[in-house]
């Protein structure tokens, strides 16, 4: 569709400018991460976390844990959102007065499962599950475990396991994950990348463009300008992905 003449005049645009329909931030992020086929998932690790994937049918969840959104290609985009993602880890580094880099190094030296320490990440209540009055908790402490590396790793694991628990519901309703791409500020943390791969038991790919929603909007505009369906265009013009792949390893029983 071309811009309306009165709008073109108002904005100083040429009469042949093509208008793309746009979409929501997560639907655009899906395009920017290059996912267009059923089974492909994206996790965005920010202050809150989102997990969404392409489905060829709606995922209707009576509990409300899985939101039945549409994507920007004519398919569906079941989505899960949690409120507590990077915040628990931020609290740990503030408490010990260390940097994320130092905390990550210490946490990488700790065993998967954080020596039995669990960080329930509900510091600001929670949306998924719908527990608005919940609060965070650290459990499983024993002498010698109140270490920054243990708590930082437990914070990363807790936020990841919270998402994974909600994904279980989507799988029960018919979603079949095959591939995982990781975006957002937390995706830059190499330890967190591996934790995500291990918890979800999927290989993790890393899009090179951190602003995946903005890139998705640009891809949609390019598709509309070229006259090619958006999904087909993105499949043929995949956003750049890092050559680094985080492969999953066995998950210890304490993280199930």
């Amino acid at each position: 569709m071309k811009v309306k003449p009165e709008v073109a005049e108002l904005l100083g645009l040429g009469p042949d400018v093509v208008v793309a329909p746009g979409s929501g931030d997560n639907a655009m992020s899906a395009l920017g991460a290059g996912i267009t086929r059923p089974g492909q998932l994206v996790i965005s690790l920010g202050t809150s976390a989102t997990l969404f994937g392409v489905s060829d049918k709606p995922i209707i969840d009576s509990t409300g844990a899985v939101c039945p959104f549409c994507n920007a290609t004519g398919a569906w985009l079941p989505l899960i959102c949690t409120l507590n993602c990077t915040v628990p880890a931020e609290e740990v580094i503030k408490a010990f007065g260390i940097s994320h880099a130092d905390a990550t190094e210490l946490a990488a030296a700790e065993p998967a499962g954080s020596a039995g320490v669990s960080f329930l990440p509900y510091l600001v209540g929670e949306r998924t599950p719908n527990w608005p009055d919940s609060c965070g908790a650290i459990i499983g402490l024993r002498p010698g475990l109140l270490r920054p590396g243990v708590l930082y790793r437990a914070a990363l694991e807790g936020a990841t396991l919270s998402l994974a628990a909600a994904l279980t519901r989507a799988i029960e309703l018919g979603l079949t994950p095959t591939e995982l791409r990781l975006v957002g500020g937390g995706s830059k943390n190499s330890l967190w990348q591996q934790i995500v791969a291990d918890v979800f038991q999927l290989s993790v790919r890393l899009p090179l463009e951190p602003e995946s929603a903005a890139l998705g909007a640009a891809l949609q505009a390019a598709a509309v300008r070229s006259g090619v369906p958006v999904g087909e265009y993105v499949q043929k013009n995949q956003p750049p992905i890092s050559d680094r792949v985080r492969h999953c390893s066995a998950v210890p029983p304490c993280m199930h």
Side-chain angles (χ1 to χ4, degrees), residues 212-236:
S212 54
L215 178 57
L219 286 167
Q220 185 195 67
V224 171
R225 183 68 181 87
S226 66
V228 177
V230 175
E232 180 181 331
Y233 186 90
V234 174
Q235 285 184 20
K236 291 181 177 178

Side-chain angles (χ1 to χ4, degrees), residues 68-86:
F69 292 163
C70 298
N71 80 348
T73 70
W76 298 86
L77 193 76
L79 180 142
I80 294 159
C81 179
T82 59
L83 297 180
N84 300 273
C85 186
T86 59

